[in-house]
Structures are given as C-alpha cells and as structure tokens.
C-alpha cells in the first residue's frame, strides 16, 4: 500500500507540472482529487484496513492529498501569470483591432439631447409607469365620455377592468398628458417640466405610425406666461436639436386638453420641404400638438384657471428622429436590424 501511495504521488506531480492551460489543470485536479480519484478511494477504504496500518496509511494519504492541492494552486498562479505575459515576438507597433461595441439607440440619444436642452432652460425631468387609468388618460384631460379615443379601437385596456370606470379602469397609457396632471397634483406651482416615455395606440402601422412609440411632453404653468413665449420655446428646441434654424408653422387644431389648441409642424427635412412620402407630398410634417392647458385640466390639477396659464407641447419623438437622420420609415427603429442601427454609433 505504501508503494502504491508513493507511485500516486509521483504520477500526480508529473501531471500537474505538464498542465499548460487552466482547462488542462482543471482536468488534472478532477483526476487527482475528485470523487473517483485513487487517493480519495484509499481514504474511504482506511476503516477496512488492519488496525496496525490505518494510522500510517491515513497520515500518508492525507499528506499526498494536501500536496496535490498545494501543487495545483501554485501551478494555477503560474499559468495565470504566463497568460498575461507579452510574447517575445509580439510587435507593439502593429495597429490593434477595436472590439465591437454598441451605441445608444437613435431615439434614446434624441431623448437625452432633449433632456439636456430642457435642463439648460430650468426644466425638471419627470417619469412614471406605463400603466395608467381612465381617470388620468381621459377624465382629467377634459375628454368627453363618448370620445372615440376611449374605445378599444384606439386604447389598449387591461383585461378584467372592462366594467370599471375612472381610477379603477386601467390601460396602457395612450399618451403622456395624464402624467402631467399627476405631476401637478403632487408638486407646487409654478411648473416647468418635461415628461419623456413610450406610449401605446391600437392602430395600423405604416411609415409614419407605430403601435408603440415615444413621446416627449413639455409643460410650463405659471401666473404670467405669454403664448408667444411658447412658440419661441418650440423654435429654440428645434434649433438646438438640429443645429440650425428649422421652419415651423402652427395651425389651429382641436385637442380636449388645450384651449386654444394648435397643430405644430416643421419643414420636412427628408425632402427639404419639396414633398415626399413621409410628409405626404406637402413639405410639412406634424411633430407635436400644443397650446394653452384647458381650464378643466388646470382644475383637475388643483389650480385656479383664472390665476394660472401656460403652454404645453407633446413632441413626437420618433418623427423628430426621422427628421434628424432623414429616415423615411419609422418602423426601422423597432426592427432590431443591426445593419440599420449600427449606422448611429
């Protein structure tokens, strides 16, 4: 038995010394110290040996096991150090190869750029969950009870809440404006904040529309705020985002949550205002509704509309990105096609 133990030690030392990689060393460790290893089996058989041999064999076997552990640890350190060494024939003057890296999605980058722009003007950034209620999505925003936007053809209502109303009827937020009311209810006026996020609409997709897309709201509420200042704010934002002045026009539009309300368009940058499929050949593309918050919206927020006024815009973030990069189809952004997305690194 003693001769067998000596041979196990000799063979084990040679195996550890010959291991040249971490993987090989792991295999040697399993062979020498695993459940099926010879030294492990001998230690298990000690109780069955003659009484006069047990102490000696046990001492030697444990000594060999400890020796293997020490040798393996030492060899592991040697292999690790060897792996970090620069080979003698390595040419440090050869240009390296940059590893493949990711980048921000163009919509995310646009959102960050807008955040920086609004922060520079003293705005706060506000976020909330993507599940809201009928109370905040419609009731607080002056939507009449029979407004078509409340129907399932437009809004994704959560299953199981069909027979409920108001705060108890839940849906995926169809727009961000209800969150603006929530912000005003939980903060003290005057207000100057923006609210970016994804919204959901049950509608057909095409080159300009998605079922899940990004909006970016901005709202100012104060006792003295002129409508003309709101238009200047819009022009300043677009100039900052695109790095140049962008033609803007405001058309009268109706939205339940603003009075007066406007459709705010910018010159189509895909065709430079000449007309294309993105702008439906008119040279302009709608990027945001806007206007003065409706008195009923201010009342829902706990404000006196005779005392406060303001200006609100809801930027179509996806369309703004389309204009920045002259992209003709909004569906590309959610395609997951790396050939497309890698262009924005």
């Amino acid at each position: 038995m003693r001769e067998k133990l000596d041979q196990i030690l000799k063979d084990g030392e040679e195996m550890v010394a010959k291991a040249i990689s971490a993987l090989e060393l792991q295999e040697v460790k399993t062979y020498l110290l695993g459940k099926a290893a010879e030294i492990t089996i001998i230690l298990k058989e000690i109780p069955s040996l003659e009484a006069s041999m047990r102490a000696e064999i046990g001492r030697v076997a444990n000594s060999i096991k400890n020796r293997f552990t020490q040798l393996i640890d030492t060899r592991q350190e040697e292999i690790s150090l060897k792996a970090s060494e620069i080979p003698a024939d390595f040419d440090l003057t050869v240009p390296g190869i940059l590893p493949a890296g990711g980048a921000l999605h163009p919509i995310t980058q646009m959102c960050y750029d807008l955040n920086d722009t609004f922060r520079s003007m003293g705005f706060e950034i506000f976020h909330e969950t993507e599940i809201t209620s009928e109370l905040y999505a419609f009731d607080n925003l002056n939507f009449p009870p029979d407004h078509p936007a409340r129907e399932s053809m437009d809004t994704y209502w959560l299953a199981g809440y069909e027979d409920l109303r108001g705060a108890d009827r839940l849906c995926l937020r169809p727009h961000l404006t209800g969150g603006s009311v929530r912000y005003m209810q939980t903060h003290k006026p005057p207000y100057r904040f923006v609210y970016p996020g994804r919204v959901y609409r049950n509608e057909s997709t095409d080159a300009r529309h998605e079922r899940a897309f990004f909006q970016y709201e901005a709202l100012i509420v104060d006792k003295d705020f002129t409508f003309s200042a709101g238009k200047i704010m819009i022009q300043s934002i677009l100039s900052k985002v695109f790095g140049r002045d962008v033609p803007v026009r405001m058309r009268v539009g109706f939205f339940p949550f603003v009075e007066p309300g406007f459709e705010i368009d910018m010159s189509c940058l895909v065709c430079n205002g000449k007309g294309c499929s993105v702008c439906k050949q008119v040279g302009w593309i709608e990027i945001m509704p806007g206007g003065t918050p409706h008195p009923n919206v201010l009342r829902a927020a706990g404000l006196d509309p005779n005392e406060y006024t303001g200006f609100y815009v809801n930027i179509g973030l996806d369309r703004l990105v389309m204009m920045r990069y002259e992209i003709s189809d909004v569906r590309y952004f959610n395609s997951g096609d790396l050939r497309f997305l890698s262009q924005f690194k």
Side-chain angles (χ1 to χ4, degrees), residues 65-239:
K65 184 175 181 180
N66 293 335
R67 175 63 175 166
F68 284 162
T69 301
Q70 181 183 9
L71 289 173
I72 291 170
D73 290 343
T74 301
R75 186 58 181 159
Q76 177 65 57
E77 185 175 352
E78 292 173 352
I79 291 174
S80 298
L81 292 174
K82 188 72 175 178
S84 63
E85 291 180 358
I86 299 177
D89 60 347
F90 184 78
D91 188 354
L92 294 176
T93 64
V94 175
I97 300 175
L98 288 175
L104 290 176
H105 191 282
I107 294 177
T108 302
Q109 184 61 62
M110 175 66 81
C111 182
Y112 288 173
D113 291 346
L114 285 172
N115 285 348
D116 292 341
T117 300
F118 277 105
R119 282 196 184 101
S120 70
M121 296 189 292
F123 282 71
E124 182 182 348
I125 311 297
F126 173 61
H127 297 277
E128 71 162 6
T129 62
E130 296 182 353
I131 295 178
T132 186
S133 66
E134 184 179 37
L135 175 65
Y136 282 95
F138 300 107
D139 296 343
N140 287 341
L141 301 181
N142 196 45
F143 280 79
D146 59 349
H147 195 282
R150 293 177 182 260
E151 301 298 325
S152 58
M153 68 178 67
D154 286 330
T155 301
Y156 288 109
W157 296 100
L158 270 61
Y161 296 87
E162 297 88 347
D163 298 330
L164 303 178
R165 289 292 179 268
D168 297 323
R169 191 182 186 194
L170 303 183
C171 64
L172 294 177
R173 60 187 181 194
H175 48 236
L176 299 178
T177 316
S180 301
V181 175
R182 194 188 303 274
Y183 177 94
M184 290 189 285
Q185 289 176 338
T186 55
H187 294 74
K188 293 182 179 180
Y191 307 113
R192 186 182 290 256
F193 66 97
V194 294
Y195 175 20
R198 190 193 296 266
V199 298
Y200 304 87
R201 301 273 179 84
N202 186 11
E203 60 182 32
S204 299
T205 62
D206 57 32
R208 295 175 48 175
H209 299 87
E210 274 279 19
R211 290 189 179 92
F213 55 97
F214 288 87
Q215 290 183 341
Y216 195 102
E217 281 199 6
L219 178 61
I220 296 177
V221 174
D222 209 333
K223 292 183 178 180
D224 296 303
F225 187 83
T226 62
F227 189 85
S228 59
K231 184 175 181 180
I232 293 173
M233 179 183 71
I234 294 171
Q235 293 172 327
S236 300
I237 293 168
L238 295 179
S239 297

